[in-house]
Short mmCIF file of all heavy atoms in Angstrom, two decimals:
data_model
loop_
_atom_site.label_atom_id
_atom_site.label_comp_id
_atom_site.label_asym_id
_atom_site.label_seq_id
_atom_site.Cartn_x
_atom_site.Cartn_y
_atom_site.Cartn_z
N GLY A 259 -4.58 -0.51 11.02
CA GLY A 259 -3.64 -1.58 11.33
C GLY A 259 -2.54 -1.71 10.32
O GLY A 259 -2.31 -0.81 9.51
N VAL A 260 -1.88 -2.86 10.36
CA VAL A 260 -0.76 -3.15 9.46
C VAL A 260 -0.94 -4.55 8.88
O VAL A 260 -1.26 -5.49 9.59
CB VAL A 260 0.60 -3.08 10.21
CG1 VAL A 260 1.74 -3.43 9.27
CG2 VAL A 260 0.82 -1.71 10.82
N VAL A 261 -0.72 -4.67 7.58
CA VAL A 261 -0.77 -5.99 6.93
C VAL A 261 0.51 -6.71 7.27
O VAL A 261 1.62 -6.22 7.02
CB VAL A 261 -0.90 -5.83 5.40
CG1 VAL A 261 -0.88 -7.20 4.72
CG2 VAL A 261 -2.18 -5.10 5.05
N THR A 262 0.38 -7.89 7.85
CA THR A 262 1.56 -8.69 8.21
C THR A 262 1.88 -9.76 7.20
O THR A 262 3.01 -10.23 7.11
CB THR A 262 1.36 -9.35 9.59
OG1 THR A 262 0.21 -10.20 9.55
CG2 THR A 262 1.17 -8.27 10.66
N GLU A 263 0.88 -10.15 6.39
CA GLU A 263 1.12 -11.23 5.41
C GLU A 263 0.06 -11.22 4.33
O GLU A 263 -1.12 -10.96 4.59
CB GLU A 263 1.12 -12.59 6.13
CG GLU A 263 1.40 -13.77 5.23
CD GLU A 263 1.30 -15.11 5.96
OE1 GLU A 263 0.92 -15.10 7.15
OE2 GLU A 263 1.59 -16.16 5.34
N THR A 264 0.48 -11.50 3.11
CA THR A 264 -0.44 -11.83 2.01
C THR A 264 0.11 -13.10 1.40
O THR A 264 1.32 -13.20 1.14
CB THR A 264 -0.52 -10.72 0.96
OG1 THR A 264 0.76 -10.51 0.37
CG2 THR A 264 -1.02 -9.41 1.56
N ALA A 265 -0.76 -14.07 1.16
CA ALA A 265 -0.26 -15.37 0.68
C ALA A 265 -1.39 -16.16 0.04
O ALA A 265 -2.55 -15.70 -0.01
CB ALA A 265 0.34 -16.16 1.84
N PHE A 266 -1.02 -17.32 -0.46
CA PHE A 266 -2.02 -18.27 -0.95
C PHE A 266 -1.92 -19.54 -0.12
O PHE A 266 -0.84 -20.07 0.10
CB PHE A 266 -1.80 -18.61 -2.43
CG PHE A 266 -2.78 -19.63 -2.95
CD1 PHE A 266 -4.02 -19.24 -3.41
CD2 PHE A 266 -2.47 -20.99 -2.92
CE1 PHE A 266 -4.95 -20.18 -3.85
CE2 PHE A 266 -3.39 -21.93 -3.37
CZ PHE A 266 -4.62 -21.52 -3.83
N GLU A 267 -3.07 -20.02 0.36
CA GLU A 267 -3.14 -21.27 1.13
C GLU A 267 -4.08 -22.24 0.41
O GLU A 267 -5.04 -21.83 -0.24
CB GLU A 267 -3.66 -21.00 2.54
CG GLU A 267 -2.78 -20.06 3.36
CD GLU A 267 -3.38 -19.77 4.72
OE1 GLU A 267 -4.54 -20.19 4.97
OE2 GLU A 267 -2.69 -19.13 5.53
N SER A 268 -3.79 -23.53 0.57
CA SER A 268 -4.61 -24.52 -0.14
C SER A 268 -6.08 -24.47 0.33
O SER A 268 -6.98 -24.64 -0.48
CB SER A 268 -4.05 -25.93 0.11
OG SER A 268 -3.99 -26.23 1.50
N ALA A 269 -6.31 -24.23 1.62
CA ALA A 269 -7.69 -24.18 2.11
C ALA A 269 -8.27 -22.77 2.04
O ALA A 269 -9.37 -22.57 1.56
CB ALA A 269 -7.74 -24.69 3.56
N GLY A 270 -7.53 -21.79 2.54
CA GLY A 270 -8.04 -20.42 2.59
C GLY A 270 -7.93 -19.65 1.31
O GLY A 270 -8.49 -18.56 1.19
N GLY A 271 -7.19 -20.18 0.33
CA GLY A 271 -7.03 -19.49 -0.93
C GLY A 271 -6.16 -18.25 -0.78
O GLY A 271 -5.18 -18.25 -0.02
N ASN A 272 -6.53 -17.17 -1.44
CA ASN A 272 -5.83 -15.90 -1.29
C ASN A 272 -6.20 -15.30 0.07
O ASN A 272 -7.38 -15.08 0.35
CB ASN A 272 -6.21 -14.93 -2.40
CG ASN A 272 -5.77 -15.39 -3.76
OD1 ASN A 272 -4.69 -15.97 -3.90
ND2 ASN A 272 -6.58 -15.18 -4.80
N VAL A 273 -5.19 -15.04 0.90
CA VAL A 273 -5.46 -14.55 2.24
C VAL A 273 -4.67 -13.28 2.55
O VAL A 273 -3.60 -13.05 2.00
CB VAL A 273 -5.13 -15.62 3.32
CG1 VAL A 273 -5.95 -16.88 3.10
CG2 VAL A 273 -3.64 -15.95 3.32
N ILE A 274 -5.24 -12.48 3.43
CA ILE A 274 -4.57 -11.33 4.04
C ILE A 274 -4.59 -11.52 5.54
O ILE A 274 -5.66 -11.81 6.11
CB ILE A 274 -5.27 -10.01 3.68
CG1 ILE A 274 -5.16 -9.72 2.17
CG2 ILE A 274 -4.67 -8.84 4.46
CD1 ILE A 274 -5.97 -8.51 1.73
#
Side-chain angles (χ1 to χ4, degrees):
V260 178
V261 177
T262 59
E263 181 184 5
T264 61
F266 178 85
E267 299 177 352
S268 58
N272 294 322
V273 300
I274 294 173

